[in-house]
């Protein structure tokens, strides 16, 4: 099965996460916010890495951090998302999530699942922490644009684009604030001048 576009990738994710408690992949943004869908996919193929039954929907930061760290250190999937962003955003960026999840698909396609809902992890008695030894990151990965067209890009380029988007948002927000402040100040000064005349 070749994954083409967002709908196909979303369907693959639904199949992989079916039966996992508190996981319902309805879209490629808010369905991923709590981190459980990422953890479910990893657990489906590698139950030795995550004790899914110990996770809580309320621990958004911890779930995402666990999934991102394990995916990077154990599977070599670059951490393109930040756990803190998943906490801060009520609706995570669809293209960022889709691009990151596509890396899971690329890694797991053709592999047999070793777990599933209710399968206990051999690590369940141990604390879940990814190993500290880094593994080499993939140099390129597929990025899907708004028209579902795949493009190969370098990991560092994508991280730069995400940082740029964050800074541009802050600049736009700050500029909007300044425009409103200046406009309101101008109105206030004009009204004060009109009173004195």
């Amino acid at each position: 099965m070749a994954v083409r576009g967002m709908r196909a990738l979303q369907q693959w994710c639904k199949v992989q996460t079916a039966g996992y408690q508190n996981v319902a992949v309805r879209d490629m943004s808010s369905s991923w916010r709590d981190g459980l869908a990422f953890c479910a996919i990893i657990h489906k193929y590698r139950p030795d890495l995550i004790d899914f039954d110990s996770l809580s929907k309320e621990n958004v930061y911890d779930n995402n951090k666990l999934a991102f760290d394990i995916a990077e250190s154990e599977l070599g999937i670059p951490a393109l998302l930040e756990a803190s962003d998943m906490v801060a955003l009520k609706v995570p960026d669809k293209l960022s999530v889709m691009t990151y999840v596509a890396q899971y698909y690329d890694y797991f396609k053709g592999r047999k699942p070793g777990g599933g809902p209710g399968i206990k992890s051999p690590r369940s008695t141990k604390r879940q922490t990814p190993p500290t030894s880094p593994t080499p990151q993939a140099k390129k990965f597929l990025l899907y644009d708004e028209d579902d067209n795949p493009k190969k890009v370098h990991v560092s380029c994508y991280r730069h684009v995400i940082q740029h988007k964050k800074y541009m948002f802050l600049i736009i927000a700050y500029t909007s604030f300044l425009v409103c402040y200046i406009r309101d100040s101008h109105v206030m000064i004009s009204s004060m001048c009109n009173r004195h005349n």
Side-chain angles (χ1 to χ4, degrees):
M1 167 184 138
V3 171
R4 294 204 177 147
M6 183 178 65
R7 285 188 193 98
L9 182 61
Q10 185 175 323
Q11 184 59 35
W12 179 81
C13 294
K14 281 182 183 180
V15 170
Q16 303 313 306
T17 59
Y20 280 92
Q21 188 173 1
N22 295 319
V23 179
V25 177
R26 294 178 301 276
D27 55 42
M28 294 305 286
S29 59
S30 56
S31 296
W32 299 86
R33 183 178 178 270
D34 62 20
L36 291 179
F38 297 117
C39 291
I41 292 174
I42 294 171
H43 181 265
K44 172 97 176 199
Y45 288 89
R46 295 288 308 273
D48 58 312
L49 297 178
I50 292 180
D51 179 15
F52 188 84
D53 293 335
S54 71
L55 303 178
S56 170
K57 189 173 183 65
E58 289 74 35
N59 294 337
V60 175
Y61 180 84
D62 294 335
N63 297 341
N64 281 292
K65 178 101 171 98
L66 177 68
F68 301 161
D69 288 350
I70 286 179
E72 188 164 34
S73 65
E74 295 286 334
L75 310 176
I77 297 173
L80 303 177
L81 301 172
E82 303 260 345
S84 57
D85 289 343
M86 299 301 272
V87 173
L89 302 170
K90 292 292 180 197
V91 179
D93 181 64
K94 177 174 67 173
L95 292 177
S96 297
V97 172
M98 186 170 68
T99 300
Y100 183 60
V101 172
Q103 305 314 300
Y104 282 62
Y105 170 78
D106 288 339
Y107 181 83
F108 289 121
K109 72 180 174 191
R111 298 177 191 241
K112 283 184 142 182
I119 301 293
K120 294 289 182 197
S121 168
R123 279 187 166 188
S124 61
T125 57
K126 298 178 186 174
R127 188 169 174 246
Q128 293 181 15
T129 54
T132 55
S133 59
T135 57
Q137 293 183 356
K139 299 228 186 246
K140 288 188 176 182
F141 65 96
L142 287 179
L143 171 69
Y144 289 88
D145 64 17
E146 291 176 356
D147 298 322
D148 291 339
N149 298 319
K151 296 178 181 179
K152 285 197 172 199
V153 295
H154 287 276
V155 172
S156 59
C157 293
Y158 184 74
R159 287 184 177 155
H160 178 75
V161 167
I162 295 298
Q163 286 299 101
H164 181 72
K165 283 173 70 175
K166 288 179 189 176
Y167 290 125
M168 288 305 296
F169 174 77
L170 291 174
I171 290 169
I172 291 168
Y174 184 68
T175 305
S176 297
F177 168 77
L178 284 177
V179 167
C180 292
Y181 180 77
I182 291 169
R183 184 193 65 216
D184 292 346
S185 297
H186 176 72
V187 169
M188 189 171 74
I189 291 169
S190 294
S191 67
M192 289 171 63
C193 290
N194 289 340
R195 281 191 222 158
H196 292 296
N197 289 336

